[in-house]
Amino acid sequence: MFVTLDLRKHAEELVSTARLAPSLHNAQPWAFRVNARSVEVYVDRSRAVAVVDPDDRQMLIGVGAAIFAVRLGVSALGSEPTVSLMPGDERGDLAAVVSLGPDHLPSMAETRLLQHVPLRRTIRSRLDPDVPARTRSVLAGEAELEGARLRWITERAERGVLSRLVTAAERREQADPKFRHELARWVGGEGPLYGTGLPEAVLGVSAKAGHEADFPMRDFAGGRRRLSASPGRPERDPVIAILFTEGDRPVDWLRAGQALMRMLLWACVEGLAASYLNQPLELPDLRTRVRDDLDLPGFAQLILRFGRPVSGLPLPTPRRPVAELLRR
């Protein structure tokens, strides 16, 4: 055992990395307690996005992504991390305990993933849909390492089905005043000033252009006028994949989040980025339709759009201060 390692001496470093994980509307629903030999990862339910995520499914996916980042950080310190997911009540706030394991020399792959944590971005503007078959296979394999599966949506009939479901979901959500009110809390305005939410600069193409895409993109402005938008339209024939899990309980959502973070970092290593088309997964009847109409052997957790950024990377989204995330 790596008996000389005291994680408390690296608390700020570990949390500074973990807080860069993706989350719904950049709500950052996590908190951490760093002990000598373990990191406790908590769900911060004050960051709930209750209208669009009433079951906290996407919240726990985000927490899962942060757990994977903690694992990378512990590995870089010379210990193989061991992870206990939902060690107590599955509806409780303690999502995971990441503990020190045997001595471990970080692999080149782990080092590269950790280096790319601060470089990862969600790209909502145009992407070049050049994702080679080899890369698709690698990303699918990385998802499986975390207990999830990735299905590339390539057949014309399946793409048509999914496109119609995304379109229907986007229309229904945008017609809901509660949904638009919640968006206004997290997008633009004061949210980014306090370290969370989405600044207008990262919202990508205009609502009109996004809605005219083959797979309509979310209008994060909720119908409000935007001061700026990325020029042009989204790519034709985007590269689309669905991340799904065999089960659909909180522990499965945490696994999906770890798979997401692992995939996104590998994509970043390959010069790729991603965004989300999760609208139909936020409406129970349409989420069921995604599973049934596409004959998925599991539960859809995320719908992802992959490609190479055409216009470079946007500025990083704001982050909560480390001191705010650390529990003593």
Side-chain angles (χ1 to χ4, degrees):
M1 298 291 289
F2 201 78
V3 295
T4 62
L5 179 58
D6 185 341
L7 292 177
R8 292 172 298 186
K9 298 178 180 179
H10 304 275
E12 291 194 7
E13 174 187 348
L14 290 166
V15 174
S16 184
T17 297
R19 70 178 182 152
L20 299 180
S23 59
L24 176 62
H25 297 353
N26 193 31
Q28 302 168 52
W30 42 63
F32 309 87
R33 178 175 286 117
V34 181
N35 306 306
R37 302 191 60 77
S38 67
V39 179
E40 299 169 2
V41 184
Y42 291 88
V43 184
D44 182 351
R45 298 188 189 275
S46 71
R47 319 303 299 177
V49 186
V51 174
V52 76
D53 187 33
D55 297 325
D56 295 342
R57 183 181 62 83
Q58 293 190 75
M59 174 186 286
L60 286 175
I61 289 174
V63 173
I67 291 169
F68 185 79
V70 171
R71 288 166 51 193
L72 283 179
V74 170
S75 175
L77 293 174
S79 176
E80 182 176 335
T82 62
V83 183
S84 175
L85 297 179
M86 292 289 176
D89 181 351
E90 71 172 15
R91 292 292 178 178
D93 291 342
L94 180 57
V97 177
V98 182
S99 302
L100 297 180
D103 290 2
H104 175 69
L105 180 64
S107 68
M108 183 177 296
E110 290 171 324
T111 300
R112 293 179 75 187
L113 292 183
L114 184 61
Q115 290 172 340
H116 280 78
V117 170
L119 302 178
R120 182 204 60 80
R121 300 285 190 279
T122 300
I123 304 293
R124 301 179 182 87
S125 54
R126 187 180 183 89
L127 294 173
D128 179 352
D130 176 20
V131 182
R134 178 194 63 82
T135 301
R136 299 187 193 202
S137 179
V138 167
L139 294 179
E142 296 301 314
E144 291 184 10
L145 290 175
E146 299 299 332
R149 293 176 63 187
L150 191 68
R151 167 118 162 239
W152 298 97
I153 307 301
T154 58
E155 298 296 328
R156 178 172 297 185
E158 287 189 336
R159 290 173 67 85
V161 166
L162 186 58
S163 174
R164 289 189 289 273
L165 291 173
V166 174
T167 300
E170 175 67 6
R171 288 174 178 168
R172 280 171 53 179
E173 288 188 329
Q174 293 293 340
D176 183 351
K178 293 181 179 179
F179 172 83
R180 296 197 306 272
H181 179 75
E182 185 173 70
L183 268 184
R185 176 189 174 195
W186 295 104
V187 178
E190 295 183 353
L193 297 178
Y194 296 101
T196 62
L198 301 173
E200 185 172 298
V202 305
L203 301 186
V205 298
S206 69
K208 182 176 185 296
H211 281 174
E212 291 175 350
D214 296 337
F215 289 82
M217 300 175 68
R218 194 193 301 276
D219 175 13
F220 279 94
R224 293 178 289 112
R225 181 177 178 273
R226 286 172 54 185
L227 299 177
S228 62
S230 300
R233 302 176 61 180
E235 67 279 9
R236 292 182 61 86
D237 298 322
V239 175
I240 305 294
I242 297 179
L243 183 72
F244 65 94
T245 54
E246 182 177 350
D248 198 32
R249 300 180 66 87
V251 70
D252 299 298
W253 305 339
L254 291 176
R255 292 190 182 105
Q258 292 177 92
L260 171 68
M261 190 63 165
R262 181 186 281 272
M263 286 192 311
L264 291 180
L265 293 176
W266 269 115
C268 192
V269 169
E270 297 282 345
L272 303 173
S275 66
Y276 307 92
L277 297 164
N278 289 328
Q279 299 98 309
L281 305 185
E282 296 164 352
L283 299 167
D285 60 320
L286 296 188
R287 186 173 181 230
T288 299
R289 286 277 307 277
V290 170
R291 181 186 184 189
D292 293 346
D293 293 0
L294 298 179
D295 197 25
L296 285 178
F299 296 87
Q301 305 296 350
L302 296 162
I303 303 173
L304 295 133
R305 161 183 169 259
F306 286 98
R308 299 184 183 279
V310 172
S311 303
L313 299 179
L315 293 173
T317 49
R319 296 289 150 172
R320 299 166 67 191
V322 169
E324 186 177 306
L325 302 174
L326 268 173
R327 295 183 178 180
R328 302 296 183 181

